[in-house]
Amino acid sequence: MADQNLRELERVERLRRFSSMTTMYLTARTGSGVHGLLPLYPTPRSALPEETVARLFQEATDPAWRSMMLIGSDATAPNSLVCTPGTAAALVEEAVAISVRHSPDLVCFPHLSEAQHAAIRPCLATDPEFSGEREEAYFDLRYDSFDEYVMSLPRRRRSHIRRERRLFQESRITLRELPPAEVVHLEPYLTGVESRYGVPPRPELQRLYLRTTAQAMGDRGTALVAFADDRPIAFTTLWDLGSVWRTRVWGCDDTHPLVREAAAYFNLMYYEPIVRAAAADARRLYVGTGTIEAKTRRGAGVRRLRSIGWTPDHSRSRGRSTATSLNSEV
C-alpha cells in the first residue's frame, strides 16, 4: 500500500479518536511479507448521521440498531480494502469473525468498488440483508486544454460551460495556490457548507479534518483559494496521486455575491482541477459523490460504490483460516 494511502488511514483514525472511537487494522501476512490490509471501525449509531446511514442502505434496516462494525471504510470514503490475489477469502473471513466477536447490531462493508465487491461477495457465508449504492463522479482526461474539454461535450452544453468559465475569469476574483495547511483557518466556510446539508456544526472537528487532510496529502496536495479584494471567499483542495487526482474539500463564504455570480463552485471544483490535472498528464480526476447530476451534465462519468450489510449471528464465530497467517492490530 502506498505511503499516501497509509496517511489517509491515519487521517481517518485521528478523526475517530477525536470522537472517542477506536480503529483496528487486520493484516494478512506470509513469510514473504504483508499481502493485505483491512481497517475495522466499531461505530455507535450516534456517530453516524441518518443521511450517512441512508446512503449506505437504501433498504430499511432495523430502526432499533445501536452499533455497527464498518469494514474497510468509515462510511464517508471509498472502501480501502487492498490485498493480493488469493488473500481476500482469508482476510474477509477473519474480518467478519472479529466483527462478530465485538457484538455489533450490524456488520457492513461500505462503498465497495465493483472489483472489491466481486472479490468479497463470494467470501461471505451470510447473504447480505441490506444493500445500497452510491455514485462517485470522475472525469477521464482525454484532452490537453479547457477548449478541448468543452469540445468533447454535446453541442447544447458548450455555451453554458463557456459562460461559467468566462464569468469566473472576467470577475475580480484572483486564484492562488497555497499549501493545504494554510486554509485551516477557513474552517467556517467548510462548516457553513456542511450545515446547509444538515450536518451539525462542529468547528473543532472540521479544523481537525482540514489539518489531517493536509497531512495525508503531504506535498502532493494543493489548496486553490479564490480571493476577492484580497479576501478569501472560497477554496478547495486537490490531491495529486500521479495518474489519478481528487478534489477533496469545498468551502465558501455564501454571503459574498461573487461566489454565485462568478460560478466559483464550478470553476474551483471542476474546471480548474480539469485544466491542472490534464496539464500534469493525469488520466482521471475524481470529483466526489455529491451533486451527481451537475457533474454528469458537465461530462463526468460515474462509478458505482456498493455497500452490503447484515445482522450478525452472535452464536457463531468462524475460526481462523489456515490459508494465510492473519494478524489483527489495534
Side-chain angles (χ1 to χ4, degrees):
M1 178 176 269
D3 181 60
Q4 284 181 307
N5 298 106
L6 292 174
R7 291 204 301 265
E8 178 68 4
L9 290 177
E10 182 183 11
R11 177 190 71 80
V12 174
E13 181 179 347
R14 289 181 62 189
L15 289 173
R16 288 175 57 82
R17 196 183 308 141
F18 178 86
S19 299
S20 302
M21 291 187 288
T22 60
T23 299
M24 299 180 290
Y25 300 98
L26 179 64
T27 58
R29 303 174 184 272
T30 67
S32 60
V34 177
H35 294 265
L37 174 66
L38 192 56
L40 293 92
Y41 302 113
T43 305
R45 183 171 189 155
S46 59
L48 291 173
E50 286 303 314
E51 61 268 23
T52 300
V53 177
R55 290 177 192 141
L56 288 176
F57 305 126
Q58 291 153 351
E59 302 170 19
T61 58
D62 182 350
W65 72 270
R66 295 167 298 174
S67 63
M68 187 186 304
M69 180 66 83
L70 299 167
I71 303 177
S73 167
D74 67 341
T76 67
N79 204 286
S80 60
L81 165 69
V82 290
C83 61
T84 56
T87 307
L91 199 63
V92 170
E93 179 179 324
E94 183 68 1
V96 172
I98 291 171
S99 298
V100 171
R101 291 197 289 271
H102 278 75
S103 300
D105 295 320
L106 297 176
V107 175
C108 175
F109 283 88
H111 306 321
L112 297 162
S113 69
E114 293 287 4
Q116 289 171 330
H117 183 268
I120 286 174
R121 185 63 189 85
C123 305
L124 298 178
T126 302
D127 288 334
E129 299 175 59
F130 317 111
S131 63
E133 295 182 4
R134 197 176 185 191
E135 292 178 327
E136 183 177 31
Y138 62 86
F139 290 91
D140 278 332
L141 304 175
R142 305 178 300 273
Y143 18 78
D144 296 323
S145 67
F146 184 77
D147 286 340
E148 286 188 21
Y149 154 66
V150 174
M151 292 304 295
S152 72
L153 301 173
R155 184 182 300 273
R156 65 184 182 279
R157 298 178 184 169
R158 296 174 190 169
S159 61
H160 180 73
I161 290 172
R162 286 195 180 102
R163 178 177 178 274
E164 289 177 334
R165 189 66 171 153
R166 187 172 61 253
L167 287 171
F168 186 79
Q169 292 180 323
E170 295 179 357
S171 73
R172 66 177 191 276
I173 289 176
T174 57
L175 195 60
R176 302 179 192 173
E177 290 188 7
L178 298 173
E182 293 187 18
V183 299
V184 174
H185 71 286
L186 298 180
E187 164 272 317
Y189 291 176
L190 173 59
T191 297
V193 170
E194 294 287 298
S195 296
R196 288 194 293 278
Y197 287 94
V199 178
R202 297 183 67 187
E204 189 176 353
L205 180 61
Q206 297 292 16
R207 285 193 293 274
L208 179 61
Y209 173 79
L210 291 172
R211 284 197 300 272
T212 55
T213 298
Q215 290 163 357
M217 294 188 294
D219 60 4
R220 306 301 294 268
T222 301
L224 297 182
V225 186
F227 285 80
D229 302 322
D230 214 35
R231 172 192 162 201
I233 63 170
F235 75 100
T236 189
T237 57
L238 301 180
W239 194 9
D240 170 7
L241 292 164
S243 63
V244 172
W245 282 37
R246 285 185 175 274
T247 59
R248 303 211 60 180
V249 180
W250 165 251
C252 69
D253 176 2
D254 200 39
T255 67
H256 199 289
L258 279 179
V259 171
R260 293 178 182 271
E261 293 171 6
Y265 173 80
F266 300 112
N267 279 274
L268 265 67
M269 291 297 289
Y270 309 153
Y271 307 147
E272 287 291 339
I274 285 172
V275 170
R276 292 160 192 265
D281 294 325
R283 295 196 302 269
R284 177 169 286 189
L285 169 70
Y286 284 101
V287 290
T289 56
T291 59
I292 292 296
E293 184 180 354
K295 293 166 183 173
T296 56
R297 285 202 306 266
R298 290 164 176 80
V302 295
R303 69 164 182 162
R304 181 169 60 168
L305 300 176
R306 304 174 68 174
S307 299
I308 53 177
W310 64 94
T311 303
D313 181 356
H314 296 296
S315 67
R316 298 175 60 194
S317 180
R318 302 185 65 186
R320 261 178 214 270
S321 169
T322 58
T324 187
S325 171
L326 290 161
N327 174 43
S328 58
E329 302 172 351
V330 180

